[in-house]
Amino acid sequence: MISVIICAAGRGRRAGFAENKVLHELGGLPVLSWSLSAFSAAGADEIIVACHAEDEARVKALLAPFPAARTMLGGETRGASVYNALKSARGDIVLVHDAARPFVSQKIIQDCIESVKTFGSGVCALPATDTVALAVDGNVFSVPARETAFLIQTPQGFYRDKLLAAYEKARAEGLSFTDESGVYAQYIAPPHLFTGERENRKLTYAEDFLPAERVGFGVDTHAFGAERDFVTLAGVRIPHESGLIAHSDGDVVCHALMDALLSAAGLDDIGHHFPDTDERFKNADSMELLRKVVVLLANAGYAAKNASISVLAETPRLSPHIAQMKENLAGALGVHKNAVGIAAGTNERLGYVGEGKGITVYATVLLMPVKK
């Protein structure tokens, strides 16, 4: 039988929220719900959530979809919380996990269980990739060999009776430990490490809760026929026998890109923000509108990371202008020019593009989260 103890009794003050950070939303769900789902899907027979008295009502509400889960009031320290839960746990194998690590995978959970069955213990850890220094008062006194240094994660799995015995000895001696691997190593045996995942990170500060990167797609088409001797693409005036018909300047590249950016951020499209029924946008400079979209993204907590644009047009010939087009878009987006790709092609004389009646542009973007 497998019991899981989820440590959720901390206050998470370093995150700066008005609530316990594990109750703060991440991807539309409280952080705690992600761990509950992961261990429930892994088939845990029992899930004990050690929580603070102030949070118990909210935590219990989150447990409704998980019949194997129950709450238990945590102690003043992590060790006290785990000890309380261990005394009532029914499983012969116990996994202890930080609620603030919502990205734990099924592979990690199964590897932890198998490590306990094979070696008697299983501690999720990653090899250190940076040099680790031990210091006191800001002064380094020891630098362990990097190949011997590991970053400890959770879950950490043990046979319940051995981990409980270790905690009882620690309590008798008045010692406290930051996690189960430490108390187990002190009183039972060196715990066995298994390889974790970088995605299994712990959420500590407010920036750790920023949304994930997002992808957006946009497309726009404009027909030739305006009484102008140029077209405007990505802010570049390109000679042509007629212009593109539009309420604004007809910059079809900017329009497709703006829709890609807005859709990636979950915002309304350009027709909502810059309607063609509004005289303020008559013959508007689309590069200026693009810069306004970048501000809208920033207010939503996002910024462009890169953009890929494909232009389908029989005429005009775009290759002499692509470098300047990339420079213009990169400047508006606030990225390096190499983060903007523009490909130009024909439609092999097929359809309205092939017949020279208009231009269609496809745009794909990647947004990254930023602080508001």
Side-chain angles (χ1 to χ4, degrees):
M1 183 175 179
I2 306 295
S3 293
V4 175
I5 298 172
I6 298 181
C7 300
R11 310 315 295 148
R13 292 186 175 87
R14 284 178 292 181
F17 300 137
E19 59 186 352
N20 187 339
K21 66 182 178 182
V22 303
L23 298 176
H24 194 75
E25 279 201 2
L26 180 75
L29 290 173
V31 169
L32 175 59
S33 293
W34 293 102
S35 292
L36 287 167
S37 296
F39 286 101
S40 179
D45 299 291
E46 175 184 51
I47 301 175
I48 304 171
V49 181
C51 63
H52 195 279
E54 292 180 6
D55 300 328
E56 188 174 25
R58 290 183 64 186
V59 171
K60 281 186 174 179
L62 297 179
L63 302 189
F66 309 101
R70 59 186 172 91
T71 62
M72 173 166 285
L73 292 181
E76 290 298 316
T77 64
R78 176 202 174 94
S81 296
V82 173
Y83 175 69
N84 290 343
L86 277 171
K87 289 190 293 183
S88 68
R90 300 189 299 271
D92 55 334
I93 292 178
V94 175
L95 309 187
V96 183
H97 185 65
D98 298 324
R101 293 186 189 272
F103 308 116
V104 60
S105 68
Q106 294 299 303
K107 182 180 185 304
I108 284 179
I109 295 171
Q110 295 306 322
D111 285 352
C112 187
I113 294 171
E114 289 304 312
S115 181
V116 175
K117 291 178 177 178
T118 304
F119 303 102
S121 58
V123 174
C124 189
L126 284 176
T129 56
D130 295 322
T131 297
V132 177
L134 305 181
V136 174
D137 297 329
N139 298 309
V140 173
F141 69 84
S142 178
V143 179
R146 189 164 60 187
E147 59 269 22
T148 68
F150 288 79
L151 307 178
I152 302 299
Q153 301 181 332
T154 64
Q156 299 180 17
F158 310 88
Y159 284 107
R160 173 188 170 276
D161 58 348
K162 290 189 175 181
L163 184 60
L164 180 58
Y167 267 113
E168 287 175 339
K169 290 178 180 178
R171 289 172 65 84
E173 295 182 10
L175 298 180
S176 62
F177 297 83
T178 58
D179 70 352
E180 291 60 56
S181 66
V183 68
Y184 190 87
Q186 179 74 17
Y187 295 107
I188 306 298
H192 183 78
L193 302 182
F194 70 93
T195 304
E197 298 168 352
R198 300 202 179 280
E199 292 79 5
N200 186 31
R201 58 190 175 88
K202 188 176 183 180
L203 306 180
T204 302
Y205 302 102
E207 53 264 35
D208 297 332
F209 291 75
L210 290 173
E213 293 179 338
R214 304 178 72 166
V215 174
F217 174 76
V219 60
D220 196 33
T221 298
H222 283 293
F224 291 119
E227 294 183 358
R228 289 194 294 269
D229 59 358
F230 63 89
V231 295
T232 301
L233 300 177
V236 178
R237 285 193 174 191
I238 302 171
H240 193 258
E241 60 189 28
S242 67
L244 293 170
I245 299 171
H247 183 66
S248 64
D249 60 4
D251 193 330
V252 63
V253 170
C254 281
H255 298 172
L257 178 57
M258 286 190 284
D259 265 341
L261 294 166
L262 291 166
S263 67
L267 302 176
D268 293 324
D269 64 15
I270 58 174
H272 171 84
H273 294 284
F274 315 114
D276 60 10
T277 55
D278 191 329
E279 285 300 309
R280 289 180 302 167
F281 305 117
K282 180 71 173 177
N283 298 319
D285 180 347
S286 294
M287 287 297 300
E288 182 59 34
L289 300 184
L290 175 59
R291 284 185 277 270
K292 292 180 183 294
V293 166
V294 171
V295 174
L296 291 174
L297 293 184
N299 291 337
Y302 292 98
K305 189 171 184 178
N306 64 23
S308 178
I309 295 165
S310 181
V311 184
L312 290 181
E314 292 294 326
T315 59
R317 187 167 175 266
L318 299 184
S319 57
H321 309 284
I322 286 179
Q324 186 60 55
M325 291 166 65
K326 289 179 61 174
E327 289 273 5
N328 290 354
L329 295 181
L333 296 176
V335 300
H336 190 275
K337 64 180 180 181
N338 290 343
V340 177
I342 299 178
T346 69
N347 212 39
E348 299 297 330
R349 302 194 179 278
L350 299 174
Y352 62 88
V353 171
E355 294 169 3
K357 295 180 179 179
I359 296 177
T360 289
V361 175
Y362 302 95
T364 303
V365 300
L366 180 65
L367 302 187
M368 59 183 177
V370 294
K371 289 184 179 181
K372 294 183 183 181

